[in-house]
Amino acid sequence: MATPRATAQTPGRRLRAEAKQAAILDAAEALFVSDGYELTSVDAIAARAGVSKRTVYDHFGDKQTLFRSVLGRTNDAVVASVRVAIDEELVDGRDIRDALLGFARRVTTEMFPTSHYVTFRRLSSQTPVAPRLPEAARDEPERMVEERFAKFAADGRLQLTDPRRAMQHFIALTMRLALDVIDEDLAGTVGRTEILAILADGVDVFLRAYR
C-alpha cells in the first residue's frame, strides 16, 4: 500500500495542496456515485480532478483510503446536520412531544433531501465491495440521539432504562418509516402532509411506551 508523503510547505504551497485535495475528493465523489467503487479507477479520478495519478496517491495513498475520505466527508455533513437538529429541537423546557416531532420533521424534511445525505446513502450502499467507515463514525448520529434520550430520562421526561433501545425504537417508528415510504414512492405521489402524519403517529406511539 502506498502512503501519503508528508513534506514541509509554505502557506502558498499548502493552499495549492489543499485545493488539489479538494478537487480530488470532489472528482472521486462524483465518480464513486455515478460509476461505483469497483468501476472507478484512480486514473479516471485524476483526470477528472485535473491532477496526476501520482498526486492522488501522494494525498490519499490508495483508492480504499480515498473512498473512506469521500465517505467520511459526507458522513461529517450528516453528523453536523443531526447535531444542529438535536441542539435546536431536543431542548430543555420544551414539550417533549413537540421536541421529538420537531426533531423528526427537521431530519426528514430538511436533511433527507440534501445532496450530502443522498450522496452518503449512495456511497454507503456500495458495501461490502467498497470500504466502510469505522463503526464509531457510522454510529455517531444515533449515539448523539441516544445521549439526549438518556438526559431526558435523567430529567424525568422519558421513562426508560435503555436509552439505546429507546433511540432505536424512535428512529424506526418515525424517520426510518418515513424514509422507507419515500424510497418506495417511485411515482412521487406521497406528499409532505402524509410524511408529517407518519412522523406524528410514530412520535405518539413512542410516547405511549416511554412517557
Side-chain angles (χ1 to χ4, degrees):
M1 180 191 302
T3 55
R5 294 183 301 183
T7 57
Q9 295 180 335
T10 64
R13 186 176 180 183
R14 183 170 61 251
L15 289 174
R16 289 191 295 273
E18 290 172 353
K20 287 182 179 180
Q21 181 168 305
I24 294 167
L25 286 171
D26 290 342
E29 179 180 300
L31 290 171
F32 285 141
V33 168
S34 64
D35 299 343
Y37 175 77
E38 283 191 297
L39 296 180
T40 297
S41 67
V42 174
D43 286 315
I45 293 169
R48 187 181 182 105
V51 300
S52 69
K53 185 177 179 179
R54 180 72 258 168
T55 299
V56 176
Y57 284 124
D58 285 345
H59 281 278
F60 295 100
D62 52 34
K63 191 171 83 167
Q64 293 89 340
T65 301
L66 178 53
F67 184 87
R68 289 193 186 94
S69 297
V70 170
L71 184 56
R73 186 172 69 164
T74 61
N75 184 69
D76 288 346
V78 170
V79 169
S81 295
V82 173
R83 182 179 292 112
V84 170
I86 290 173
D87 290 343
E88 295 184 359
E89 302 291 347
L90 300 180
V91 296
D92 294 336
R94 187 179 186 185
D95 175 78
I96 189 65
R97 183 181 186 277
D98 290 345
L100 293 173
L101 187 54
F103 174 72
R105 284 175 174 170
R106 183 82 164 263
V107 171
T108 304
T109 64
E110 296 186 21
M111 189 187 81
F112 284 173
T114 61
S115 60
H116 67 251
Y117 184 73
V118 172
T119 298
F120 173 76
R121 292 191 72 200
R122 289 177 177 172
L123 293 172
S124 299
S125 69
Q126 296 183 31
T127 57
V129 174
R132 303 183 72 189
L133 289 175
E135 184 177 356
R138 298 197 308 269
D139 292 347
E140 180 67 9
E142 291 186 352
R143 186 190 62 77
M144 292 189 294
V145 177
E146 178 186 344
E147 288 181 352
R148 191 57 54 100
F149 277 18
K151 184 178 186 304
F152 284 165
D155 294 341
R157 303 177 69 190
L158 291 176
Q159 300 297 317
L160 53 91
T161 57
D162 187 344
R164 180 165 182 79
R165 184 57 54 84
M167 172 273 295
Q168 292 169 335
H169 285 162
F170 175 73
I171 291 175
L173 289 166
T174 56
M175 295 169 286
R176 185 161 293 136
L177 180 57
L179 190 58
D180 287 344
V181 171
I182 293 169
D183 287 344
E184 294 169 1
D185 182 33
L186 301 180
T189 58
V190 176
R192 179 184 173 89
T193 299
E194 184 174 348
I195 295 300
L196 295 181
I198 290 171
L199 299 178
D201 289 345
V203 168
D204 290 338
V205 171
F206 176 81
L207 287 176
R208 281 198 289 274
Y210 288 105
R211 182 159 59 180

